[in-house]
Amino acid sequence: MNNITTLLQSILFGDFGLLTLTPRYLFLVLFPIMVFLGISGQILPKIPFLQKTSPLINQFFYSFIGLGCTTVALASLDYIKNPPMRTRMIWLLILVVPCSSQLAIIATFAAMVTLRVFLLYLFFCFGFMAVIYFLISKVYPLNQGLVKISSDASSFNLFRIVKEAFLSVADTALPFCGGSIIISIAAYYGILDFIAEAFGPFMEHFLHLPKEAASLFVLNILKRDFGSASLLSFASKGTFDAIQLIVMMMMMTFSVPCFNSSILLVKQQKLPKACLIWLGSLIISVLIGKIVSMILVV
């Protein structure tokens, strides 16, 4: 009976609880942001500069949103009706544009290492970003505007914007709640620890990282700020040397979308394609870590 009570407390009030994280994220983060994006979606297309500018500038607008939060940027992609352009932006937001939590991880890393190590990390980071952007542009060329052009000044309707934002949050609520429950149960029964333990040898032999890197990587997948805090904790104990820190940072920077972003990814792309994108980003992250490890480990 006590076990069931503890499990329910974890599901309802834990780090991913239905009464803690879920309503806070849906109604205090996602809903006001969707309202803001709805207002922007009706105002921005009427600006003459955006009507005449190249698609690259419009792409920059969505990337700028991604610097704050990948989840929010993915939500804003609802306004892109062209599937290839939406897929292009999804890949860019996941792999190229670092969110605020990733920037926090980078800042944490910068405070822990020497300037030479940090500059080496930046060299690899920008190099891989350039390569990934080039490859994405080859598969999904930037040949259309990302902001729908409209000259109808009478179309602005705040009530409709709020209604659409609420409906969007409502559509997201069910899969988000389901994901929260699954993560809470997995954490309670030690499944996440089991996954980290299982991938420990892979981290050691394939990437030349300590086995603790597996749990750090799992935490980073779930929530970026968990990854940042854990990185600081491990590094302060001397778990990683300088080269291992760079490899770990590269994998965390080019990591898969976090839990919140994954929920919206499934909503937008449907399960099969969302799984392919998620697995693709995971493979890219591991390959980048391997390449950097091979270059640095002599």
Side-chain angles (χ1 to χ4, degrees):
M1 189 67 174
N2 289 335
N3 290 339
I4 295 177
T5 301
T6 305
L7 175 59
L8 288 175
Q9 288 178 342
S10 177
I11 292 174
L12 295 175
F13 304 106
D15 290 330
F16 293 87
L18 293 177
L19 300 180
T20 50
L21 174 69
T22 301
R24 184 168 68 246
Y25 174 74
L26 291 176
F27 296 105
L28 296 182
V29 178
L30 186 58
F31 178 72
I33 288 172
M34 291 304 294
V35 172
F36 169 76
L37 291 173
I39 294 174
S40 301
Q42 292 199 19
I43 293 178
L44 290 177
K46 300 179 178 67
I47 299 177
F49 171 72
L50 288 179
Q51 292 181 359
K52 298 177 181 179
T53 192
S54 68
L56 187 63
I57 301 297
N58 292 331
Q59 174 186 272
F60 176 79
F61 168 74
Y62 287 92
S63 300
F64 180 78
I65 297 175
L67 287 172
C69 178
T70 302
T71 307
V72 174
L74 289 175
S76 71
L77 299 184
D78 286 338
Y79 296 99
I80 300 179
K81 303 305 179 184
N82 184 270
M85 294 307 300
R86 186 185 302 165
T87 303
R88 172 191 171 91
M89 287 308 305
I90 286 174
W91 279 112
L92 289 177
L93 290 169
I94 290 175
L95 293 175
V96 178
V97 181
C99 68
S100 58
S101 295
Q102 287 172 308
L103 293 174
I105 293 175
I106 295 172
T108 302
F109 176 68
M112 295 188 304
V113 299
T114 63
L115 178 61
R116 182 179 178 182
V117 172
F118 184 65
L119 290 177
L120 184 59
Y121 158 74
L122 290 181
F123 171 78
F124 282 116
C125 192
F126 286 116
F128 279 106
M129 284 182 177
V131 171
I132 290 172
Y133 182 85
F134 173 79
L135 294 176
I136 292 174
S137 296
K138 285 295 183 181
V139 179
Y140 301 102
L142 184 62
N143 53 16
Q144 296 185 44
L146 297 178
V147 177
K148 185 179 179 180
I149 304 303
S150 173
S151 59
D152 185 6
S154 64
S155 64
F156 185 85
N157 187 323
L158 183 60
F159 176 78
R160 183 168 55 117
I161 291 173
V162 173
K163 180 181 177 181
E164 290 178 352
F166 181 81
L167 291 176
S168 179
V169 171
D171 288 340
T172 306
L174 185 60
F176 194 89
C177 289
S180 297
I181 293 173
I182 292 173
I183 294 297
S184 297
I185 293 175
Y188 179 81
Y189 284 107
I191 297 175
L192 298 181
D193 293 333
F194 173 79
I195 294 173
E197 286 290 333
F199 280 93
F202 173 80
M203 289 289 188
E204 287 183 298
H205 299 297
F206 187 71
L207 296 167
H208 307 291
L209 295 172
K211 62 180 180 180
E212 291 84 357
S215 59
L216 178 57
F217 194 59
V218 170
L219 285 174
N220 187 66
I221 290 174
L222 294 177
K223 214 166 185 292
R224 295 280 190 258
D225 48 2
F226 286 1
S228 180
S230 299
L231 176 66
L232 180 61
S233 176
F234 282 130
S236 64
K237 298 175 183 177
T239 306
F240 302 97
D241 59 29
I243 293 177
Q244 290 173 334
L245 271 175
I246 293 176
V247 174
M248 195 68 232
M249 276 297 302
M250 292 300 298
M251 294 176 63
M252 293 173 69
T253 301
F254 295 93
S255 183
V256 303
C258 66
F259 171 72
N260 296 345
S261 298
S262 298
I263 294 297
L264 281 181
L265 182 61
V266 172
K267 176 193 169 190
Q268 282 194 349
Q269 296 293 309
K270 306 307 177 186
L271 189 59
K273 190 172 182 179
C275 289
L276 287 175
I277 293 175
W278 196 93
L279 289 174
S281 59
L282 176 63
I283 293 171
I284 290 172
S285 173
V286 173
L287 287 178
I288 287 175
K290 179 62 177 178
I291 293 171
V292 174
S293 176
M294 291 174 62
I295 293 173
L296 296 180
V297 177
V298 180

